[in-house]
């Protein structure tokens, strides 16, 4: 008889494990059932106790299954471990004697090994080996470690964790690591390089060799290659093996002892011809001894055996390249080592510029020769000699002064490059200063001086130089990367107002030729004409645009916002596709409390770049000035979604949220005597704005005094808040706080729909509050229960596992409790294959219903 004989029983509930109908757990059914597999499943369910404990029914099922299938695995039971009572007296006595004899043999072996160790290391009888990296030895049994007094720490508030900077703490760890003293190697002299193996068996020698080799491996992995060599030598003295020779060769390679490594590889190949590791390591020694042909032969042997060996392929390509280079050098009879140097300086170009110049003093040929020699020495890596040649050329040209300013500027710049390579940053800065005196706004001296300042940790001066370079060539990647890097450093060192501590950034005049320019997408001139006249017109417009923008930026720095408005407006007549101009002009409007105009400029900027953080932030301030607090809140949330590190946006979010919740906003604005000042970012001095934090000052006093305000505290129809899948608890908290403020159940339901239920406890973290809890329940009940009951059940299940859940249950009101009960009732009335009524009842108990 099978379960198919009772199709009507399948609709009355099933067990969780095997989906067996509850009605099958019955004496009559089991007695009639002849399906062995089905009976085994029933027996497993009865033994598990998930449906209750029924000893008689379980025993009856076992007997029936025994009758049908005596060899069934379900009837097998674990045999308990044997004890002394399981054996007879004679058997137990024999077992006990065997154990005692085994213990005594092991003790003898240990005593014997201990005797050899004490004979080998008599000086270390009382002391343990020295700790790697220290000068002291640990004394055994002599002194007891004194307990260090621990400083009692008071418990910290949860809010302090929000201020914890992980990157800063990691940087402290790195700095502590760098400050460690150099590892002391004096203890190596105490280690004997040979082990006396006289009288030892082969088994004992093998044991000692392996033991010493493992010590060498530990030292090698710790970076103590000298110590590793000594332990490998001890291992070889006990018993020479291929592995020990190979390992010692690798340690010698790390120490650049090429001859010793070569000899060890030879030993390996004598013991085991064709050993791959030995061939690879011998090829490495050949390469560094400039025996390139022999290295190629060894690497070819390796690739014949292992064609896919990546290390051999890479090394072979390097050796072949070196061989070609050496052949080329020998042909041209060029002495010295070949070096590939990536330098900003293009000495050939500079040399070409003045190769045809002749000076009145008749020293032009000699100066050009010295400069050419300096360039060649610089390319070969001989920086000190190159600096000497440049100094000699400077001494010849210096009397002429300003007459040959360009030539002198190039020589000073070249000598600065030599000083920078040698680490003489002060000399580099002095030469760059002199080069810039002779030829202002020359890009290469500016770059070299910036690098020297950065090396000397004068980050503010380096930032100014890099920003000046970007005015000359806005597309120079090196300068852009450096500006971004230094911005972060200066923010950490000087705080949010770090820009105020900088020296003024000089404005590069329009006469300085641009080295990179991306013209506007729209043509300004629409008049017919030949291509050359159009090109000339574009260049003129570009220069005018840049000059006007720089003048506007300078006006902002001087707090002359009205003139800055005019400059930016003229810029837009030339190119109305520049997003930075709109955001800059919006800043000026905010300063002048013209919020409607600021909002319009931000709208234009967001049409060009919908992800522009500054435009979104400044539009939020404009909405706040217009008292459209809900729209301001939406924009601030979008800013934090784009960049969660902007502290000014977080402060504004708190302020706008508070204003939104006030009952009488107008009265509260008029009563406030002192207003907090909000920081927005000043216009950047460069060509483009950095996507950083806005600074500057907008007094909210002008918000209160604004006339013609038509919004009497009631916000306009709120815009839909963009909901994206949160990646961490912070992003989830930002979104859920905004939704809780707006009481937007539909948007909250969308957030839950795109969030995996199992991630809910992690995303909520310890921030589950009453308002959030109620919003989640309402969203599940009103917006999700009809669409996806299974998702609602999963969210309720994982919500019960969140921190502070039990606390929330103690704080909910009676009405909220009735709402949760209604949600569970709706869930019970909705048929679903993913959960049962028993599951819902169990979950209700979690919610204390």
């Amino acid at each position: 008889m099978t379960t198919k004989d009772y199709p009507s029983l399948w609709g009355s509930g099933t067990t969780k494990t095997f989906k067996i109908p509850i009605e099958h757990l019955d004496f009559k059914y089991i007695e009639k059932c002849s399906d062995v597999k089905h009976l085994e499943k029933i027996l497993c369910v009865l033994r598990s106790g998930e449906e209750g404990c029924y000893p008689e029914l379980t025993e009856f099922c076992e007997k029936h299954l025994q009758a049908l299938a005596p060899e069934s695995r379900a009837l097998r039971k674990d045999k308990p471990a044997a004890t002394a009572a399981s054996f007879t007296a004679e058997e137990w006595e024999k077992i006990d004697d065997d154990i005692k004899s085994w213990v005594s043999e092991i003790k003898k072996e240990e005593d014997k090994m201990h005797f050899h160790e004490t004979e080998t290391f008599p000086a270390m009888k009382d002391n343990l080996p020295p700790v790697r990296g220290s000068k002291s030895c640990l004394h055994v049994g002599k002194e007891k470690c004194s307990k260090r007094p621990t400083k009692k720490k008071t418990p910290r508030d949860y809010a302090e964790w929000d201020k914890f900077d992980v990157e800063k703490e990691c940087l402290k760890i790195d700095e502590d690591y760098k400050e460690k003293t150099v590892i002391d190697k004096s203890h190596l002299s105490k280690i004997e390089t040979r082990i006396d193996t006289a009288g030892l068996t082969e088994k004992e020698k093998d044991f000692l060799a392996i033991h010493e080799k493992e010590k060498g491996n530990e030292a090698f992995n710790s970076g103590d290659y000298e110590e590793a060599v000594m332990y490998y030598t001890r291992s070889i003295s006990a018993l020479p093996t291929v592995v020990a020779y190979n390992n010692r060769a690798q340690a010698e390679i790390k120490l650049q002892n090429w001859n010793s490594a070569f000899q060890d590889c030879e030993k390996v190949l004598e013991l085991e011809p064709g050993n791959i590791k030995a061939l690879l390591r011998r090829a490495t020694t050949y390469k560094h001894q400039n025996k390139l042909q022999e290295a190629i032969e060894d690497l070819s042997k390796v690739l014949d055996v292992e064609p896919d060996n990546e290390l051999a392929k890479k090394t072979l390509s390097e050796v072949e390249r070196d061989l070609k280079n050496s052949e080329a050098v020998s042909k041209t009879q060029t002495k010295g080592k070949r070096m590939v140097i990536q330098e900003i300086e293009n000495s050939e170009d500079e040399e070409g510029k003045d190769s045809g110049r002749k000076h009145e003093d008749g020293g032009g040929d000699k100066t050009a020769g010295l400069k050419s020699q300096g360039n060649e020495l610089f390319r070969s890596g001989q920086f000190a000699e190159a600096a000497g040649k440049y100094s000699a050329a400077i001494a010849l040209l210096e009397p002429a002064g300003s007459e040959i300013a360009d030539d002198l500027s190039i020589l000073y710049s070249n000598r600065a490059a030599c000083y920078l390579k040698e680490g003489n940053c002060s000399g580099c800065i002095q030469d760059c200063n002199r080069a810039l005196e002779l030829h202002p706004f020359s890009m290469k001296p500016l770059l070299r001086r910036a690098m020297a300042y950065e090396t000397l940790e004068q980050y503010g001066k380096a930032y100014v130089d890099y920003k000046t370079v970007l005015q000359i060539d806005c597309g120079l990647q090196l300068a852009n990367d450096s500006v971004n890097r230094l911005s972060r450093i200066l923010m950490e060192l000087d705080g949010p107002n770090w820009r105020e501590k900088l020296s003024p950034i000089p404005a590069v005049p329009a006469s300085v030729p641009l080295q990179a320019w991306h013209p506007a997408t729209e043509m300004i001139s629409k008049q017919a004409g030949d291509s050359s006249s159009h090109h000339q017109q574009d260049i003129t417009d570009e220069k005018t645009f840049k000059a006007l923008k720089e003048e506007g930026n300078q006006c902002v720095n001087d707090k002359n916002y009205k003139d800055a408005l005019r400059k930016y407006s003229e810029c837009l007549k030339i190119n109305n596709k520049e997003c930075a101009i709109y955001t800059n002009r919006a800043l000026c409007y905010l300063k002048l409390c013209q919020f409607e105009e600021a909002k319009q400029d931000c709208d234009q900027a967001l049409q060009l770049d919908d992800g522009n953080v500054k435009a979104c932030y400044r539009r939020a301030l404009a909405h706040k000035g217009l008292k459209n607090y809900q729209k301001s809140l939406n924009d601030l949330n979008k800013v934090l979604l784009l960049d969660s590190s902007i502290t000014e946006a977080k402060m504004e979010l708190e302020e706008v949220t508070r204003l939104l919740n006030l009952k009488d906003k107008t009265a509260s604005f008029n009563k406030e005597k002192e207003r907090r000042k909000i920081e927005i970012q000043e216009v950047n001095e460069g060509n483009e704005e950095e996507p950083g934090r806005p600074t500057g000052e907008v007094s909210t006093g002008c918000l209160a005094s604004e006339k013609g305000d038509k919004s009497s505290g009631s916000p306009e129809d709120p815009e839909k808040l963009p909901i994206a899948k949160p990646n961490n608890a912070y992003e989830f908290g930002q979104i859920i706080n905004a939704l809780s403020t707006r009481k937007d159940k539909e948007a909250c339901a969308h957030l839950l729909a795109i969030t995996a239920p199992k991630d809910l406890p992690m995303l909520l973290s310890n921030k589950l509050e009453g308002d959030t809890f109620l919003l989640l329940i309402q969203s599940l009940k009103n917006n999700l229960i009809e669409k996806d009951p299974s998702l609602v059940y999963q969210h309720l299940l994982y919500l019960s596992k969140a921190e502070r859940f039990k606390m929330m249950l103690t704080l909910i009101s009676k009405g909220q409790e009735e709402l949760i009960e209604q949600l569970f009732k709706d869930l019970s009335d909705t048929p679903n294959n993913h959960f049962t009524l028993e599951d819902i009842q169990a979950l209700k108990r979690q919610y204390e219903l």
Side-chain angles (χ1 to χ4, degrees):
M1 180 177 179
T2 65
T3 56
K4 296 179 181 178
D5 299 329
Y6 292 88
S8 61
L9 299 179
W10 284 95
S12 302
T14 59
T15 62
K16 294 181 181 178
T17 307
F18 293 107
K19 304 300 180 184
I20 297 173
I22 300 295
E23 289 78 4
H24 289 194
L25 307 182
D26 182 68
F27 284 97
K28 291 182 180 180
Y29 178 81
I30 293 173
E31 183 179 7
K32 295 179 181 180
C33 183
S34 59
D35 188 342
V36 174
K37 295 293 183 184
H38 195 65
L39 280 174
E40 289 177 347
K41 293 179 181 179
I42 292 174
L43 183 58
C44 288
V45 172
L46 292 172
R47 285 176 176 174
S48 67
E50 68 179 50
E51 299 296 339
C53 183
Y54 308 101
E56 296 178 356
L57 182 61
T58 305
E59 184 180 358
F60 180 77
C61 185
E62 288 176 353
K63 289 181 180 179
H64 187 58
L65 184 59
Q66 175 76 27
L68 292 175
E71 301 298 327
S72 173
R73 291 190 176 187
L75 297 173
R76 297 178 185 176
K77 295 182 179 179
D78 294 334
K79 186 178 180 180
T83 62
S86 305
F87 303 95
T88 62
E90 293 79 7
E91 291 174 338
W92 180 250
E93 185 177 359
K94 184 177 182 304
I95 293 171
D96 189 49
D97 291 341
D98 290 341
I99 293 174
K100 288 179 179 178
S101 62
W102 179 80
V103 170
S104 62
E105 288 177 6
I106 292 298
K107 189 174 181 181
K108 288 179 183 179
E109 292 289 334
E110 289 179 349
D111 292 342
K112 193 174 182 180
M113 295 301 301
H114 180 68
F115 171 77
H116 289 299
E117 287 181 2
T118 54
E119 287 294 320
T120 307
F121 302 105
M124 289 186 161
K125 191 171 182 180
D126 296 328
N127 296 338
L128 290 175
V131 178
R132 184 175 292 115
S134 69
K135 298 180 180 179
S136 60
C137 297
L138 296 177
H139 297 275
V140 182
K142 299 284 184 180
E143 300 175 357
K144 293 185 178 180
C145 297
S146 60
K147 294 184 178 179
R148 298 176 63 184
T150 57
K151 185 179 179 182
K152 186 176 179 181
K153 295 182 179 180
T154 56
R156 299 200 297 179
D157 188 73
Y158 281 114
E160 290 189 38
W161 288 103
D162 297 334
K163 304 175 183 178
F164 184 75
D165 190 344
V166 179
E167 296 298 330
K168 189 174 181 180
E169 295 300 322
C170 291
L171 186 61
K172 288 181 181 178
I173 294 172
D174 294 340
E175 290 175 353
D176 293 341
Y177 177 76
K178 291 177 183 177
E179 292 175 0
K180 288 183 178 179
T181 57
V182 179
I183 297 175
D184 185 19
K185 299 292 183 181
S186 60
H187 68 282
L188 295 179
S189 59
K190 301 178 183 179
I191 302 175
E192 297 289 338
T193 56
R194 292 190 60 82
I195 299 177
D196 186 8
T197 57
L200 298 182
T201 64
E202 291 298 322
K203 185 177 180 181
E204 291 168 343
K205 291 179 182 179
D206 184 55
F207 178 82
L208 278 175
I210 294 173
H211 185 60
E212 297 298 324
K213 177 176 68 66
E214 288 175 349
K215 289 182 183 178
N217 292 346
E218 181 186 350
F220 186 92
N221 293 331
S222 301
D224 294 342
Y225 303 119
E226 294 179 10
E227 187 175 339
V229 168
M230 300 192 74
Y231 280 119
Y232 289 140
T233 304
R234 289 170 58 84
S235 175
I236 291 169
S237 69
L239 184 66
T241 59
V242 169
V243 175
Y245 276 121
N246 250 334
N247 289 3
R248 190 170 71 173
Q250 184 63 23
E252 295 285 8
I253 287 173
K254 291 289 185 180
L255 295 170
Q256 298 185 4
N257 297 333
W258 311 118
N259 191 39
S260 301
F262 171 77
Q263 292 175 3
D264 281 343
C265 294
E266 290 286 305
K267 289 285 187 183
V268 173
L269 294 171
E270 287 177 9
L271 296 171
E272 186 181 316
N275 186 283
I276 298 298
K277 288 185 178 179
L279 287 171
L280 274 172
R281 288 165 187 172
R282 189 172 70 174
T284 303
T285 64
Y286 279 142
K287 176 187 173 184
H288 288 88
Q289 291 175 336
N290 208 25
K291 299 178 181 179
L292 303 180
Q293 196 59 49
E294 290 86 344
I296 291 174
E297 292 175 3
D298 279 352
L299 293 170
S300 300
K301 291 177 183 178
V302 173
L303 291 173
D304 289 341
V305 180
E306 295 183 0
D308 297 330
N309 192 310
E310 294 297 331
L311 179 59
K313 290 180 181 178
K314 181 181 177 182
T315 309
L316 181 61
S317 62
E318 291 175 357
V319 172
E320 289 177 343
R321 186 183 68 244
D322 291 344
L323 183 61
K324 290 179 181 178
N325 291 339
S326 63
E327 290 174 354
V329 170
S330 62
K331 287 180 181 178
T332 56
Q333 297 180 353
T334 303
K335 296 181 180 180
K337 185 178 177 181
R338 178 183 177 84
M339 298 183 68
V340 180
I341 305 171
Q342 184 177 0
E343 235 299 305
I344 303 167
E345 188 74 39
N346 189 347
S347 300
E348 291 81 8
D349 292 343
E350 292 183 347
E351 186 179 354
K353 291 177 184 178
D354 67 332
S355 60
R357 292 182 184 144
K358 301 292 180 181
H359 306 297
E360 294 180 1
D361 58 359
D365 292 339
K366 187 175 181 180
T367 304
L370 288 170
K371 180 181 174 184
S372 178
Q373 292 172 18
N375 293 344
E376 290 297 329
L377 290 168
F378 186 92
R379 293 190 198 98
S380 63
Q382 302 177 49
F383 305 120
E385 292 81 356
K389 297 295 182 183
Y390 293 138
S391 299
I394 289 171
L396 289 174
L397 294 184
E398 190 68 47
S402 60
E403 296 178 3
I404 47 170
D406 290 345
D407 294 335
L408 268 176
S409 176
I410 291 171
L411 287 170
Y412 276 113
S413 178
N414 288 359
R415 191 172 69 174
C418 297
Y419 287 153
L420 187 62
K421 287 289 186 180
E422 291 183 310
N424 183 6
C425 296
S426 299
C428 175
I429 291 171
Q430 291 177 4
D431 275 1
C432 290
N433 290 339
R434 179 59 177 151
L436 291 169
E437 288 176 8
L438 296 166
H439 192 289
F441 301 108
S442 181
M443 188 167 69
K444 291 177 182 178
L446 282 169
L447 275 173
R448 286 168 184 156
R449 189 173 68 178
M451 293 176 187
Y453 278 139
E454 189 174 357
T455 304
L456 295 175
E457 297 184 359
Q458 298 181 22
Y459 301 117
K461 294 181 179 179
Y463 180 87
V464 171
D465 277 348
Y466 281 127
K467 292 293 287 184
T468 308
V469 168
L470 285 176
Q471 295 182 59
I472 302 169
D473 184 355
C474 61
L476 188 62
Q477 192 60 38
L478 171 67
N480 280 304
D481 294 342
S482 300
V483 163
N484 294 333
R485 180 178 65 256
L486 293 175
S487 298
R488 292 191 295 270
I489 295 173
L490 290 169
M491 172 70 76
E492 293 176 2
L493 293 176
D494 300 332
N497 299 326
W498 60 274
R499 293 180 186 275
E500 298 177 1
K501 301 180 181 181
L502 293 177
S503 304
I505 298 176
V508 179
S511 59
V512 176
L514 299 177
Q515 299 195 17
W517 174 259
H518 303 283
T521 55
E522 291 187 0
M523 295 294 292
I524 304 302
S525 174
K526 297 188 180 293
Q527 298 177 357
D530 59 357
S531 58
S532 61
S533 62
H534 279 220
H535 180 68
Q536 187 66 30
Q537 180 66 31
D538 289 342
I539 294 175
T540 304
D541 289 342
E542 290 162 4
K543 290 184 177 181
T544 305
F545 177 90
K546 183 176 179 62
L548 288 170
K549 181 179 178 181
E550 293 303 329
E551 291 173 7
N553 292 349
Q554 190 59 46
C555 290
V556 171
N557 292 335
D558 297 337
K559 303 188 184 303
N560 188 359
Y561 303 113
K562 292 184 179 179
D563 288 345
L565 276 177
R566 288 195 293 271
K567 298 296 182 183
Y568 291 139
S569 299
E570 291 176 14
C571 284
L572 291 174
K573 293 177 182 179
I574 299 174
N575 179 11
N576 61 355
K577 298 297 181 182
E578 184 74 39
C579 184
I581 300 299
Y582 286 109
T583 56
N584 289 357
R585 193 169 71 169
L587 174 63
C588 298
Y589 282 132
L590 286 172
K591 296 285 188 178
L592 298 172
C593 297
Q594 299 179 22
F595 301 112
E596 184 61 39
E597 290 82 357
K599 172 187 169 300
Q600 292 174 4
D601 272 359
C602 293
D603 289 338
Q604 289 291 333
L606 290 170
Q607 287 181 6
L608 297 171
D609 180 7
D610 59 353
N612 189 289
V613 178
K614 289 187 178 180
C616 197
Y617 179 79
R618 289 171 183 168
R619 189 172 69 176
L621 296 180
H623 280 309
K624 180 183 176 184
L626 295 170
K627 298 184 181 177
N628 296 332
Y629 299 121
Q630 189 61 58
K631 291 186 177 181
S632 179
L633 189 72
N634 296 341
D635 281 340
L636 289 170
N637 279 301
K638 185 178 178 182
V639 169
L640 290 173
L641 285 175
L642 293 170
D643 186 352
S644 60
S645 63
I646 301 179
T647 55
E648 293 85 356
K650 296 175 186 176
M651 294 167 60
E652 280 300 320
L653 184 65
E654 295 176 2
E655 177 74 10
V656 172
T657 303
R658 184 180 66 82
L659 293 173
L660 188 63
N661 292 330
L662 289 176
K663 294 181 180 179
D664 191 355
K665 301 178 183 59
T666 305
S668 114
F669 266 82
N670 292 330
K671 287 179 182 179
E672 286 182 357
K673 295 180 180 179
E674 293 182 1
R675 294 294 296 169
R676 179 174 56 84
K677 290 187 176 182
I678 305 154
E679 294 190 353
I680 15 179
Q681 190 151 9
E682 295 288 354
V683 179
N684 284 326
E685 300 82 357
N687 301 1
E688 294 291 335
E689 290 185 289
E690 295 174 5
R693 295 153 184 73
T695 62
E697 295 179 353
V698 175
S699 175
T700 53
C702 64
L703 305 184
S705 62
E706 178 69 16
K707 296 181 179 180
D709 190 340
K710 296 181 181 180
S711 59
S712 60
S714 60
E716 299 177 10
D717 294 337
E719 299 176 358
K720 285 190 175 182
L721 185 67
I723 304 296
K725 185 177 180 180
N727 297 317
N728 50 51
Y730 178 79
E731 293 181 4
F732 185 85
Q734 291 292 326
I735 299 173
I736 203 70
N737 287 340
L739 298 179
S740 180
T741 303
R742 300 173 57 168
K743 296 181 174 54
D744 194 339
K745 304 179 187 63
E746 184 178 354
C748 183
H750 175 64
L751 175 63
L752 292 173
I754 63 176
T755 303
K758 64 180 181 179
D759 295 337
L760 200 57
M762 179 272 293
L763 296 174
L764 286 169
S765 183
N766 59 351
K767 303 297 183 184
L768 183 60
E769 302 292 343
D771 294 341
T772 304
F773 181 73
L774 179 61
L775 178 64
L776 294 174
I777 296 297
Q778 290 174 338
S779 302
L780 292 172
K781 182 180 183 304
N782 299 334
N783 300 88
L784 282 181
I785 187 67
E786 296 180 357
K787 298 178 182 178
D788 194 347
S790 174
L791 183 63
V792 173
Y793 171 77
Q794 291 291 324
H795 273 303
L796 288 172
L797 175 63
Y798 284 101
L799 181 61
S800 66
K801 299 179 181 180
E803 292 186 48
R804 295 176 53 85
F805 172 74
K806 294 296 183 183
M807 177 67 72
M808 286 301 99
L809 292 181
T810 62
L811 299 177
I812 60 175
S813 63
K814 186 176 181 181
Q816 294 170 351
E817 186 176 350
E818 292 175 355
L819 179 67
I820 300 173
E821 286 183 353
Q822 184 61 40
L823 174 59
F824 275 101
K825 184 178 182 303
D826 296 342
L827 204 59
S828 303
D829 296 340
T830 307
N832 196 277
N833 297 328
H834 295 87
F835 54 86
T836 62
L837 292 176
E838 290 80 4
D839 296 333
I840 295 178
Q841 291 300 325
L843 188 56
K844 285 181 68 175
R845 288 193 291 272
Q846 292 290 330
Y847 282 77
E848 299 180 3
L849 298 178

